[in-house]
Structure formats: structure tokens, C-alpha cells
Amino acid sequence: MNQLQNISILLLIAYFAGIMFIVLRSKASKNTEDYFLAGRQLPFWALAITFIASWWGGGSSIDLVDHGFNQGLSSFWIYGMPVLFSTFLMYLFSKAIRKIGTITQPQIMEMRYNKTVALLLSILILIFMILGVATQAVVIGNFFQSFFDVDYKIAALIGTGIVVLYSFFGGFKGVVVTDIIQFVFLLMAAIVLFIFAYNHSGGFEKVQEIALSRNKPEFFSFFHNLSNNFVFIITFGCSWMIQANIWQRISAAKQPTDAKKMMGLAFIVFIPLYLMVTLTGMLSLGIYESVPEGGIVPAIIQDYMPMGLAALLFVGLCSAIMSTMDSMINTGALVLSVDVFKNRFKPTAKNHEMVWVGKIATLIIAILGLFIAIEIRSILKITWIGSDFLATGAFVPLVLAFIWKKGNSLAATLSIIFGLLFSSYNLLVALGVNLPTAWEIASVQQAAYGMIGSALIFIIVSLSTKVEQEKAENFIKKAGMLEKQ
């Protein structure tokens, strides 16, 4: 190994030791609410930072830079626009979610519909979270492989193992503490990367000249390829709006007003963050002829930065990837332990038992995600698969639960089953199974068919079957969604 790699390893070990020290010094969790919601004692700004860190992570800081290099300014639509769209929707729903007062989304669905709907939603969330963990394991595996020149499988295992350890011992408090630290690290890394990319590219005018010389006149057009980019808002935006790890943060707020403040602050902060990452990728067009093997970000760090700064940025970007992965692991473990184990198998489980069940669930979610990451190394492919399941299966019954009294349990059940079958079919086609389709996989058409199909089933079944009047009215009244905010 060279000197940069040795220094980076030492800093990574020191960072991990510091995180573990903080986590182990924290007060031990006494019950499920402590372990997964930090006792609902965290201030809104801390929850906002952990929310931002969980989304503005590996995909944004590394993958989006490469897309910015290839696609230009319109690559903002891949991650930035879906995040803003979903954050805005959650801003509208945040007070209602917090007023319900449950720990998990399936508990919300059981309160509004029934246990069958809650179980089906648990399955969807578990699929999404495991695939989310897999996405980040791919990112950190590729990053470690490129930086240290080690086998991808070993790299993914090491990166995932670091996250599992502090998530196992710290629960949600550990996730929040590390997310705040990781957000600071990533913010500094992103700013430094932007400055270096700007200085070594010759600036935006020079990049524009290069783009024209490479037959990319649309490179600085925000609305280029809009019809294809819009698919990311439909599928990613709708699925991320109902992402369980974000609802977990909303549920962890002290008061409903704090939940709304959290989402409002996050929306404002996301705009410059995603724009900066996109612009960094665009500026890289003035540095490289094509995307280097392993990605632009590791290449800039190794090729242009002083050794000490390069090592610090390496740790900062590692922390960003981990901040997204730990959120996915923690929420997947929450659903597996509370909604599956406790609610379905052992309702009488005591508090100390549930804390240990949560820790074991943490290991299970991480191992399954790592296994998928070893089998499928495409970040966007895994992200799309996960989003397809959640958007077509859960968006309609979950969102309409807060605003439409006629929606009932049978309609929710059939809508979710349709989403599971539709997404599983698309997954098989994406994996190479020769099945007939009337739509292009991973397209606006596919997303539209899935969402419309789910909505039609929910609405038609609700209108043609008995309304669960009292249950629906009590739920919507408690949420206060239709009241003046």
C-alpha cells in the first residue's frame, strides 16, 4: 500500500473508534421506543440533519457526480428533484404522521385498516430497506475497491461491517449521533471537491467550450431529456415520500410542530447540496475525458489533492455512505422486530427482549443487503427495483389513509398485493427472465401503469364495498390532516 492508503486506513480506524466511543457511552436503551425513536427527546434540528444525512449520502455524493459528468445539469433530476418533491409532500403530511403517535408505518396501517394490510406493508418496507442497504453496500464496496485496490466483496464486507457494529450497539440514538458527525464530514468533503473541480477544470466557461466540442450542446440545460428524467420524480419521489426511515424520524419528533419544522428545514438545505454535487460532476468534464474506473470522486481525491486532505476527504465520503446505510438498517430492523416479531409472533415480549430482538434484526437486514450487493453491482438498478415496490404497492393506500374516509381494508389489501405482483414481475424481467411486457422496464410508462393500476384498484374496490366509517373517521380526526394547519 502507498502512503495515502496507509494514512486513510489509520484515519478510518480512528473515526470508527470515536464513533464507537460515543455510541457505547450513550445511555442504554430500555425499550423499543428508546432503541428506535430515542425516546422522542431529540430536537427538530438534530432530526433534520439525520434526515438530510440519510438521503444526501452515497448516491448523491458519489454516484450523482458521475451522472453530472455524463448528462450535465439535467442530472439534478435523478436525485435532487425526487428528494425535493418527496420532502415537500412529507412537509404537508408531517404533523398528521406525528399526531398518530405510532412507532412504525405498519402500526399506522393497522390502526387505519387491519393487521393484514399492516403485514403486507411490512413486507414492502423490508424489501425496500434491504435493497437500500444493498445500494449503499455497492457504493462503499466500489469506493473501497477503487481507493485501496482490494477485492470488491471484501471491500463491501468491511464497509458494511463498520456500520453494523455502531448500529447494533447504539440503535436510533447511535444513528442520529453518527449522522450529525457524518453530515459535517460530507459537507466539508463536498465543498472541497467542488473547489478543486472548479480550479482544475478552468471554470464553467471552459467546461461549456469542452461540452460543445464533444457535441453536448444541452450540457447546461436543466430541462434536457425531461420526459425520461421525469420518471425519477414519479417512481423515486413517490416511494421516498413514504420511506419508512423518514417517517421514523417524523415519529421521533417531540411535537407535531417540530416534525413540520424538520421537513421545512431539510427542504431548504437540500437545494444547494444537490446542486453543488451536480455542478462538481459537470466541472469534471474539464478534467477527465471519460469517467475514470471507480468513479470521478475517488479519482479527484487521488489525482489532485494533497495527501493529508485526500485522506480526510476519503473518511468524509465513507461517513456519508455509512449515514445512508445505517438509516436503512435501523428502519428495516424496526419493522422486522416490532411489526413482524412482536405483533405476529410474540405480543407479550418484554422491553429488554425487544431491544435484543432489534439488535438481531439489525444483523439480519445488513447481511441480506450485503448478499444482494455482492450479486448486483448497479446502484441505479437496485434503487429502481426498491422504489418500484414501494411506489406501486404502498403509496396510494398509505397516503389516502389520511385524507379519504371511503378507503377500506379490502381495497388497501388488494392494492398492495397488486403492487407486490407488478413489481416482482418487473424485477424478473430486469433480471433477464423472458416475460412479455407492454411497457419498457424502468420507464415513465412502467411507473405510470403501476401507480394508476394501484390507484384504480384502491378507489374502485373502496367505492363498491362497505365503508369502515367509524374506524376511518377516528383515524383521520386524530391525524388532523383535513384541519386547517
Side-chain angles (χ1 to χ4, degrees), residues 396 400 404 411 415 418 448-464:
V396 171
L400 291 187
W404 197 45
S415 179
F418 166 79
Y449 283 163
M451 297 287 289
I452 292 171
S454 177
L456 285 176
I457 290 172
F458 186 83
I459 293 170
I460 292 172
V461 174
S462 293
L463 292 176
S464 58

Side-chain angles (χ1 to χ4, degrees), residues 82-100:
V83 163
L84 292 176
F85 173 70
S86 53
T87 304
F88 175 72
L89 288 179
M90 282 189 287
Y91 173 80
L92 298 178
F93 279 82
S94 55
K95 287 180 70 174
I97 294 168
R98 178 61 185 88
K99 282 181 179 180
I100 292 297

Side-chain angles (χ1 to χ4, degrees), residues 39-251:
R40 289 194 169 107
Q41 294 300 311
L42 296 170
F44 81 90
W45 60 265
L47 290 171
I49 290 176
T50 188
F51 167 37
I52 294 166
S54 67
W55 273 4
W56 191 58
S60 301
S61 59
I62 297 176
D63 195 43
L64 184 54
V65 173
D66 293 348
H67 288 292
F69 178 95
N70 290 319
Q71 190 173 320
L73 189 58
S74 63
S75 63
F76 186 87
W77 287 79
I78 297 175
Y79 291 107
M81 291 302 289
V83 163
L84 292 176
F85 173 70
S86 53
T87 304
F88 175 72
L89 288 179
M90 282 189 287
Y91 173 80
L92 298 178
F93 279 82
S94 55
K95 287 180 70 174
I97 294 168
R98 178 61 185 88
K99 282 181 179 180
I100 292 297
T102 60
I103 295 178
T104 70
Q105 282 180 332
Q107 288 178 341
I108 292 176
M109 289 295 92
E110 183 172 341
M111 185 184 297
R112 176 62 174 84
Y113 301 117
N114 60 26
K115 289 186 176 182
T116 301
V117 177
L119 179 59
L120 288 170
L121 182 60
S122 298
I123 294 170
L124 283 174
I125 293 171
L126 284 172
I127 292 172
F128 182 85
M129 291 302 156
I130 290 168
L131 290 167
V133 173
T135 301
Q136 301 310 312
V138 171
V139 175
I140 202 162
N142 288 336
F143 194 49
F144 277 16
Q145 181 187 34
S146 173
F147 204 82
F148 294 120
D149 194 26
V150 296
D151 181 74
Y152 164 76
K153 294 179 181 179
I154 295 175
L157 177 61
I158 293 172
T160 305
I162 292 172
V163 179
V164 169
L165 276 174
Y166 71 71
S167 298
F168 180 87
F169 288 104
F172 187 62
K173 279 185 286 189
V175 169
V176 171
V177 170
T178 53
D179 277 357
I180 292 173
I181 297 170
Q182 290 160 350
F183 174 74
V184 174
F185 261 116
L186 177 56
L187 182 59
M188 292 189 298
I191 292 171
V192 171
L193 277 168
F194 175 80
I195 292 172
F196 270 77
Y198 184 86
N199 289 337
H200 289 281
S201 67
F204 289 109
E205 290 185 8
K206 180 66 176 178
V207 169
Q208 190 169 24
E209 292 175 11
I210 295 171
L212 291 172
S213 69
R214 297 185 188 177
N215 196 29
K216 292 185 175 184
E218 73 291 337
F219 197 68
F220 280 82
S221 171
F222 183 74
F223 296 102
H224 172 66
N225 206 18
L226 181 60
S227 60
N228 288 334
N229 285 330
F230 197 72
V231 70
F232 295 109
I233 287 186
I234 296 175
T235 299
F236 288 0
C238 291
S239 66
W240 293 351
M241 181 263 169
I242 56 172
Q243 198 167 305
N245 59 324
I246 306 307
W247 285 45
Q248 180 184 2
R249 282 151 177 75
I250 293 172
S251 297

Side-chain angles (χ1 to χ4, degrees), residues 189 192-193 196 200 300-310 313:
V192 171
L193 277 168
F196 270 77
H200 289 281
I300 292 178
I301 291 175
Q302 294 181 81
D303 296 343
Y304 291 98
M305 294 190 179
M307 191 172 298
L309 182 59
L313 257 66

Side-chain angles (χ1 to χ4, degrees), residues 27-42 98 100-104 107 170-173 176 248 251-254 330 334 337-338 342 350-352 354-355 358:
K27 186 179 178 181
S29 299
K30 296 180 179 179
N31 52 48
T32 305
E33 187 170 297
D34 259 358
Y35 189 75
F36 287 114
L37 296 183
R40 289 194 169 107
Q41 294 300 311
L42 296 170
R98 178 61 185 88
I100 292 297
T102 60
I103 295 178
T104 70
Q107 288 178 341
F172 187 62
K173 279 185 286 189
V176 171
Q248 180 184 2
S251 297
K254 292 180 180 179
N330 188 260
L334 168 63
S337 57
V338 174
K342 182 177 175 64
K350 297 179 180 179
N351 287 333
H352 71 277
M354 287 307 301
V355 170

Side-chain angles (χ1 to χ4, degrees), residues 245-278:
N245 59 324
I246 306 307
W247 285 45
Q248 180 184 2
R249 282 151 177 75
I250 293 172
S251 297
K254 292 180 180 179
Q255 302 291 336
T257 52
D258 285 341
K260 197 161 188 174
K261 288 178 185 176
M262 176 187 83
M263 301 313 303
L265 176 60
F267 182 90
I268 294 170
V269 173
F270 274 136
I271 296 172
L273 293 184
Y274 278 97
L275 185 60
M276 179 168 55
V277 174
T278 303

